[in-house]
Amino acid sequence: MTPSRGHGPLSRDIDRILIGERQIAERVRVLGEQIAADLTGSDGSLVIVAVLTGGLVFVADLVRALPMRLRIGIAAVSSYPGRATKSRGPELVGALPRDLAGRHVLLVDDILDTGRTLAMLRAEVSKQGPASVGTCVLVRKQKPEALAMPCEYVGFDIPDEFVVGYGLDYDDEYRNLPFIGTLRAEVRR
Ligand code: XMP
């Protein structure tokens, strides 16, 4: 698929769209149904922990596909310095929500790449004694580390390429693209 003209100058930097806007919307709806069915009876004890900044757009859509009482918390994690496209390892920036004991916690991130971010967060959240800890990502890269990482909800499996859009960035830009795609080589300075 080639980029639509809708996002003007941003779309011109995209090489290929891997997952389109409608495909994302449909998958988010189905994920919401699955999560709601799995947590039937959790009755208000679900806490969605949004992994920022990348998980922002996905979480905003996912919570509106969850027809149940829930709370939203945030975990700010930094892994990519500026224009780097290789993770230097996740670092928790600021505190996690503190009231997770006895609650069902679902960590929601944009992408599962090396798996280090979700492994670190799962361990940190577990220290508080939650009723359960699950993870949900919109995309998972098809690489051994990602596939080996337990993840309860996966939207799409994608090739092991650097992607942007729908929350994913390059040098903090492109997060507002409504689709997920690869960047043209000349844009990655
Ligand atoms: P790990 O390796 O810990 O990575 O699973 C998760 C975090 O790394 C970022 N990430 C990416 N960001 N395009 C991006 O814009 C990518 O292809 C990509 N791969 C990993 C992302 O912030 C995620 O939370």
Side-chain angles (χ1 to χ4, degrees):
M1 212 189 302
T2 48
S4 71
R5 278 172 294 225
H7 275 69
L10 278 186
S11 285
R12 282 202 289 275
D13 292 348
I14 299 300
D15 181 33
R16 259 179 322 129
I17 294 180
L18 300 185
I19 313 168
E21 196 172 350
R22 266 182 299 183
Q23 227 183 325
I24 293 175
E26 175 55 16
R27 189 72 185 115
V28 170
R29 191 187 64 72
V30 172
L31 283 172
E33 279 177 7
Q34 282 173 1
I35 294 165
D38 291 350
L39 288 167
T40 303
S42 71
D43 193 33
S45 68
L46 173 62
V47 183
I48 299 286
V49 175
V51 184
L52 300 187
T53 307
L56 189 70
V57 179
F58 178 36
V59 167
D61 284 343
L62 184 67
V63 291
R64 286 176 289 173
L66 287 170
M68 60 211 291
R69 292 203 298 147
L70 57 79
R71 294 164 194 214
I72 302 174
I74 58 166
V77 177
S78 149
S79 10
Y80 279 40
R83 292 173 181 170
T85 54
K86 282 220 160 36
S87 173
R88 59 157 185 221
E91 210 176 280
L92 196 51
V93 185
L96 284 174
R98 294 193 191 286
D99 51 353
L100 303 178
R103 298 190 185 277
H104 294 282
V105 178
L106 186 63
L107 295 162
V108 180
D109 203 356
D110 49 3
I111 194 164
L112 179 51
D113 187 341
T114 64
R116 286 189 291 174
T117 301
L118 290 178
M120 179 271 284
L121 288 175
R122 205 189 265 268
E124 286 299 317
V125 166
S126 297
K127 290 179 187 167
Q128 293 191 34
S132 68
V133 190
T135 53
C136 174
V137 295
L138 185 68
V139 291
R140 173 172 65 182
K141 289 191 180 173
Q142 282 175 304
K143 61 201 285 184
E145 307 97 286
L147 296 169
M149 171 80 193
C151 184
E152 287 74 12
Y153 305 98
V154 176
F156 301 92
D157 277 307
I158 59 166
D160 184 11
E161 291 180 62
F162 189 79
V163 288
V164 296
Y166 199 72
L168 291 151
D169 73 302
Y170 173 66
D171 199 15
D172 253 333
E173 294 186 346
Y174 305 99
R175 295 191 198 274
N176 54 322
L177 285 171
F179 51 77
I180 291 179
T182 56
L183 272 182
R184 286 155 51 126
E186 56 271 36
V187 178
R188 285 167 54 167
R189 303 159 287 237

